[in-house]
């Protein structure tokens, strides 16, 4: 993962700055002899985690390795077989993308193969230490120290499991690894601060960065916590990495519908996931009553409530703070997870943190939550990915149940988060049944909103495809919808877009309004105050795109969202569609925008 010659501090800072190591890993041990095929198919489902190089190691009569740069392509047929296989897909913003730096990495004797996701912060010291012992490195990565350390301990007479465990004790940083050793029918997976899940089926064991990659081949799953190591032979034994003591964990049944995605005939996941928002609201609203009660009890006995998240999840947090204030008269401040340390002085044992994260693996969120936990705060999380780190470290977890979100852009998870937060806000005042009815109505509106607006979004996208800047405004809760609308447009179409509370326009940004600059306004109706601000922009030549329940005179284009009650939530849909079609008009892949990855697992 790292270029040669990086000094330890420089390398560490650069890694943190650039956000590297959001790779995908997989491991398969089967009795059917098709481990290579399953690992290859699984890694293709993880390519959203990285797509600059990839590789696979298959154990048949010996160890065969195949590595390539670029997106995952085909592999030779003979590699589809084997009893054990491990595979890796990589994403990096710096360092040489090369075959020799692609995983799996081998030990010096070529008998141990390892795939790794994470960052070994003390890799340089370890390389120096191993080099002194005569180990010669073939790649420039931090990861290669792992198979070398394992080999060192095997040479000292340790068992394979003990050699892996002892090797891991040297590592500072984050890792999820899968390791295999050619002479033995054993596969070992382990994790610390990077995701790894175990899938099980009759005589088959799978490791993966997320459940989605292996769900079609597993019936049950075990969700690992940090510092856990699993030996699969195919019998499963779990150990704590630090103590070496064995741990008992029961597998959970996998609901394939909630963790396996295909495009179901849509050209892109983004469009499919926009369409799935009806079901996402229905699923998210079906929360277990006793869990909701626990959430409400915790909030009521707290003296402070903070809602945290990053990106789109942060927008959901901000919108929720409006809902809590309006519906439940509760002051729940929304904080950006990465800025949380500035507010750490406010946290104590009477604080409740509501942490929002689709992936449940966002490093900034996890760090904020861990800091809050250390101060005794209670953690309520809302996540979509089953078994994720956030879910595991929370006191109470509510699942979004939105199904896998594969497109890098968050769409259905945003609506799912908001549906749950709306439910909590209403549960706090005993209005749950009414809220459930409203959410059921809102879900029914999703296909109507798509039907009314998709063609219009497509047409408008062809008109706006060469525009250089778009402004998005809204008042009250819609000021947050404006932020989310601008984020959707910029990240997928690469058109500069900014969101504002509409009244803020005249405090500065209006200086940028000139002839034909598009201004999108979210206005629940034609008499909303934001319309005044839209008119102010129109007087300076702006092209006004209204998203509303009714057409206002100043609109040059009109997206009709016939839902007044939950308007700030549902009105994002036409702009998700506009963003999608802008990406297509500009020849871009909406599912994999440049420089982004679905799980931002580093700071
Ligand atoms: C935007 C987007 C990101 C994520 C952010 C947090 O479309 O996808 O801004 O919302 O990276 O991700 P989670 O929710 O997984 O913590």
């Amino acid at each position: 993962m790292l270029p040669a010659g990086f000094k330890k501090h420089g390398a560490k800072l650069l890694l943190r700055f650039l956000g590297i190591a959001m790779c995908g890993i997989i491991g398969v041990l089967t009795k059917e002899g098709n481990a290579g095929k399953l690992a290859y198919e699984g890694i293709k489902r993880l390519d959203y985690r990285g797509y600059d190089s990839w590789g696979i190691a298959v154990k048949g009569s010996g160890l065969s390795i195949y590595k390539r740069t670029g997106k995952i392509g085909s592999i030779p047929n003979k590699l589809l077989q084997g009893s054990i296989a491990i595979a890796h897909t990589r994403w990096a913003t710096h360092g040489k993308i090369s075959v020799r730096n692609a995983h799996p990495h081998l030990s010096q004797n070529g008998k141990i193969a390892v795939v790794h996701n994470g960052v070994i912060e003390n890799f340089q010291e370890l390389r120096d230490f191993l080099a002194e012992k005569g180990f010669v490195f073939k790649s420039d990565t931090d990861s290669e120290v792992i198979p070398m350390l394992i080999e060192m301990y095997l040479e000292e007479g340790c068992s394979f499991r003990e050699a892996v465990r002892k090797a891991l004790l040297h590592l500072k940083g984050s890792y999820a690894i899968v390791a295999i050793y050619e002479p033995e029918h054993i596969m070992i997976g382990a994790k610390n601060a990077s995701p790894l899940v175990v899938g099980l089926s009759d005589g088959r064991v799978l490791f993966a960065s997320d459940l989605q990659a292996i769900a079609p081949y597993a019936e049950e799953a075990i969700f690992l916590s940090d510092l856990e190591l699993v030996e699969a032979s195919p019998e499963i034994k779990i150990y704590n990495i630090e103590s070496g003591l064995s741990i008992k964990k029961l597998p959970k049944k996998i609901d394939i519908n909630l963790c396996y995605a295909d495009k179901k005939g849509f050209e892109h996941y983004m469009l499919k996931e926009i369409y799935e928002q009806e079901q996402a609201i229905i699923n998210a609203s079906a929360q277990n009553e006793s869990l909701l009660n626990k959430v409400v009890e915790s909030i009521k006995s707290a003296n402070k409530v903070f809602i945290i998240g990053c990106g789109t999840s942060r927008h959901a947090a901000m919108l929720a703070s409006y809902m809590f204030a309006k519906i439940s008269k509760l002051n729940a401040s929304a904080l950006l997870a990465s800025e949380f340390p500035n507010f750490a002085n406010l946290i104590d044992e009477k604080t409740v943190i509501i942490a929002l994260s689709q992936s449940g693996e966002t490093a900034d969120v996890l760090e904020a939550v861990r800091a809050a936990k250390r101060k005794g705060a209670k953690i309520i999380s809302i996540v979509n990915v089953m078994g994720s780190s956030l879910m595991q470290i929370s006191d109470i977890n509510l699942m979004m149940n939105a199904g896998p979100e594969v497109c890098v852009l968050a769409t259905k998870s945003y609506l799912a988060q908001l549906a749950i937060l709306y439910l909590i806000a209403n549960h706090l005042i005993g209005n749950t049944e009414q809220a459930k009815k409203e959410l059921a109505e809102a879900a029914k509106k999703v296909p109507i909103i798509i039907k009314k607006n998709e063609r219009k979004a497509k047409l408008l996208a062809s008109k706006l495809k060469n525009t250089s800047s778009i402004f998005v405004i809204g008042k009250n809760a819609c000021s947050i919808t404006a932020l989310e609308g601008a984020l959707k447009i910029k990240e997928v179409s690469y058109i500069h877009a900014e969101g504002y509370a509409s009244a803020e326009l005249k405090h500065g940004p209006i200086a940028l309004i000139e002839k034909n600059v598009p201004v999108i306004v979210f206005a629940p109706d034609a008499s909303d105050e934001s319309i005044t601000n839209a008119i102010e922009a129109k007087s300076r030549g702006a092209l006004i795109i209204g998203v509303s329940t009714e057409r206002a005179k100043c609109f040059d284009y009109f997206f009709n969202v016939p839902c007044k009650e939950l308007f700030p939530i549902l009105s994002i849909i036409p702009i998700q569609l506009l963003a999608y079609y802008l990406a297509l008009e500009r020849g871009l892949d909406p599912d994999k925008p440049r420089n982004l990855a679905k799980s931002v697992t580093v700071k």
Side-chain angles (χ1 to χ4, degrees):
M1 251 167 258
L2 292 170
F6 266 60
K7 293 283 174 254
K8 63 180 176 185
H9 297 302
K12 185 170 157 185
L13 289 174
L14 192 56
L15 278 166
R16 286 186 184 277
F17 175 65
L18 290 166
I20 198 172
M22 290 174 279
C23 311
I25 63 173
I26 198 147
V28 182
L29 181 147
T30 61
K31 57 180 182 192
E32 298 103 335
N34 60 349
K37 179 170 181 283
L38 300 192
Y40 174 63
E41 283 173 6
I43 206 70
K44 283 202 277 188
R45 274 191 292 277
L46 285 175
D47 75 342
Y48 71 87
R49 299 178 67 89
Y51 24 91
D52 63 36
S53 57
W54 63 284
I56 184 164
V58 181
K59 183 172 121 69
S61 47
L63 261 190
S64 311
I65 311 284
Y66 188 78
K67 305 201 240 187
R68 286 289 178 272
T69 54
K71 286 188 181 174
I72 299 173
S74 56
I75 59 169
N77 272 343
K78 70 174 173 65
L79 280 157
L80 296 172
Q81 286 128 34
S83 55
I84 307 184
I86 58 176
H88 185 274
T89 181
R90 179 175 183 243
W91 179 89
T93 53
H94 85 295
K96 210 165 157 203
I97 297 165
S98 63
V99 168
R100 74 193 205 105
N101 286 341
H103 298 219
H105 290 292
L106 293 176
S107 56
Q108 178 126 299
N109 63 12
K111 290 187 187 304
I112 302 153
V114 172
V115 285
H116 166 231
N117 170 29
V119 178
I120 310 297
E121 290 174 0
N122 58 337
F123 81 99
Q124 193 59 56
E125 287 126 82
L126 292 173
R127 275 177 86 114
D128 296 346
F129 163 76
L130 288 160
E132 261 178 40
K133 290 188 171 290
F135 287 90
V136 178
F137 289 86
K138 294 205 174 97
S139 82
D140 309 320
T141 68
D142 55 339
S143 313
E144 200 183 357
V145 298
I146 305 171
M148 301 297 193
L149 285 166
I150 298 172
E151 181 177 318
M152 182 183 85
Y153 281 112
L154 279 170
E155 278 172 3
E156 286 179 12
C158 290
S159 66
F160 180 38
R161 181 188 82 222
E162 202 48 16
V164 174
R165 189 181 78 79
K166 285 192 166 168
L168 295 177
L169 290 175
H170 286 268
L171 309 185
K172 291 202 179 99
S174 56
Y175 58 79
I177 64 146
V178 187
I180 55 176
Y181 178 39
E182 197 232 285
E184 294 188 18
H185 188 67
I186 291 177
M187 174 173 70
I188 292 179
K191 80 165 228 104
N192 186 36
S194 289
L196 192 69
V197 62
V198 191
L200 305 171
S201 162
D202 181 30
R204 187 189 285 163
V205 182
L206 307 109
F207 289 111
S209 299
D210 76 32
L211 201 50
Q212 211 202 115
I214 51 174
Y217 317 115
E219 282 142 25
E220 296 182 311
I222 298 176
F223 299 107
L224 299 179
S225 303
D226 285 345
L227 292 171
E228 287 182 351
L229 175 150
V230 179
E231 180 186 52
S233 62
E235 200 194 332
I236 289 287
K237 290 184 189 145
I238 308 176
Y239 299 89
N240 177 278
I241 294 170
E242 282 176 342
S243 67
L245 295 175
S246 98
I247 300 169
K248 283 260 162 301
K249 278 199 157 179
L250 290 179
K252 296 198 168 109
K253 199 113 200 94
I254 296 177
D255 180 346
I256 186 106
N257 295 317
L258 290 180
C259 45
Y260 176 59
D262 67 28
K263 286 196 193 140
K264 296 203 174 114
F266 285 87
E267 201 185 333
H268 298 103
Y269 281 110
M270 181 171 173
L271 190 61
K272 173 187 161 250
E273 288 160 8
I274 291 173
Y275 270 75
E276 282 174 345
Q277 293 183 114
E278 176 185 10
Q279 197 57 43
I281 296 178
I282 295 170
N283 292 0
S285 312
Q287 290 295 325
N288 174 300
E289 197 79 8
S290 75
L291 267 187
L292 277 181
N293 289 340
K294 277 192 193 163
V295 168
V296 162
E297 275 161 30
S298 307
I299 293 176
K300 281 188 172 162
S301 54
N303 60 9
K304 273 172 247 120
V305 178
F306 294 103
I307 322 173
I308 63 165
C310 299
T312 290
S313 293
R314 185 241 185 158
H315 293 156
M318 292 167 88
L319 215 160
S321 74
Y322 278 76
M323 298 198 296
F324 281 122
K326 196 170 169 191
I327 300 168
S328 359
K329 296 200 175 78
L330 176 83
N331 178 9
S333 315
L335 292 181
L336 190 51
S338 56
E339 293 294 320
F340 186 76
N342 297 290
F343 302 89
N345 281 344
L346 306 180
I347 311 300
D348 57 27
E349 353 23 89
K350 294 218 82 169
T351 307
V352 159
I353 304 286
I354 305 178
L356 310 179
S357 177
Q358 189 285 133
S359 61
E361 299 296 347
T362 300
D364 290 324
V365 177
L366 292 175
E367 185 166 291
V369 163
R370 287 185 180 119
K373 263 176 92 101
R374 282 195 294 274
K375 295 199 139 202
K378 188 154 203 173
I379 313 297
I380 299 169
S381 64
I382 301 180
V383 305
N384 195 35
V385 176
M386 175 65 91
S388 56
S389 305
L390 179 57
M391 176 183 165
Q392 297 198 41
I393 61 174
S394 305
D395 298 295
I396 307 174
N397 173 251
L398 302 181
M399 291 300 296
M400 292 179 207
N401 292 329
E405 192 177 63
V406 177
C407 172
V408 165
L409 279 85
T411 52
K412 63 178 177 173
S413 61
Y414 178 63
L415 264 66
Q417 286 169 336
L418 288 170
I420 297 171
L421 291 159
Y422 186 70
L423 208 54
I424 297 173
N426 279 283
H427 202 60
L428 274 164
I429 55 159
N431 198 26
T432 322
E433 288 318 305
Q434 178 61 21
K436 281 190 174 165
K437 274 188 205 142
E438 285 166 6
L439 287 167
E441 277 308 303
K444 280 190 205 149
K445 291 275 165 65
V446 172
I448 299 170
I449 296 169
I450 294 175
K451 192 153 185 247
K452 278 185 183 292
N453 295 296
E454 187 169 1
R455 219 174 65 86
K456 285 190 204 167
K458 208 169 169 175
L459 284 173
L460 186 59
S462 73
K463 186 174 162 66
L464 298 186
K465 68 176 176 207
N466 294 320
T467 203
S468 56
S469 208
I470 297 178
F471 291 86
V472 193
I473 59 171
K475 192 168 171 61
N476 307 322
C478 285
S479 63
I480 311 303
T481 320
L483 299 182
E484 175 60 8
L487 179 62
K488 290 292 87 98
I489 292 171
K490 75 180 102 173
E491 64 183 333
V492 75
S493 72
Y494 316 154
I495 295 173
H496 170 249
E498 290 304 329
Y500 294 101
S502 59
E504 278 296 291
L505 209 57
K506 60 183 178 294
H507 295 291
I510 202 160
L512 297 168
I513 303 293
E514 51 190 32
K515 198 165 162 30
N516 286 333
V517 170
V519 174
I520 298 172
V521 55
F522 290 99
D525 58 42
S527 59
D528 189 71
E529 270 185 51
S530 59
I531 296 292
T532 313
N533 306 119
I535 292 170
E536 287 161 5
K538 194 175 172 93
S539 325
R540 276 110 187 139
L543 182 86
I544 305 297
I545 300 151
V547 186
S548 181
T549 53
E550 56 188 8
R551 184 186 281 279
K553 264 202 190 138
C554 66
F555 293 168
D556 297 298
Y557 286 86
F558 172 42
F559 288 120
N560 187 355
V561 175
C563 179
K564 210 157 181 190
E565 211 37 65
L566 289 162
F567 183 84
I569 300 179
L570 293 182
S571 53
I572 192 65
I573 297 170
I575 304 308
Q576 293 171 336
L577 289 166
L578 177 65
Y580 171 74
Y581 284 108
L582 277 171
L584 294 197
E585 283 289 341
R586 291 162 67 89
L588 304 170
D589 177 354
D591 288 340
K592 294 192 183 104
R594 70 183 174 203
N595 306 342
L596 297 175
K598 188 72 182 157
S599 296
V600 186
T601 54
V602 286
K603 295 210 320 157

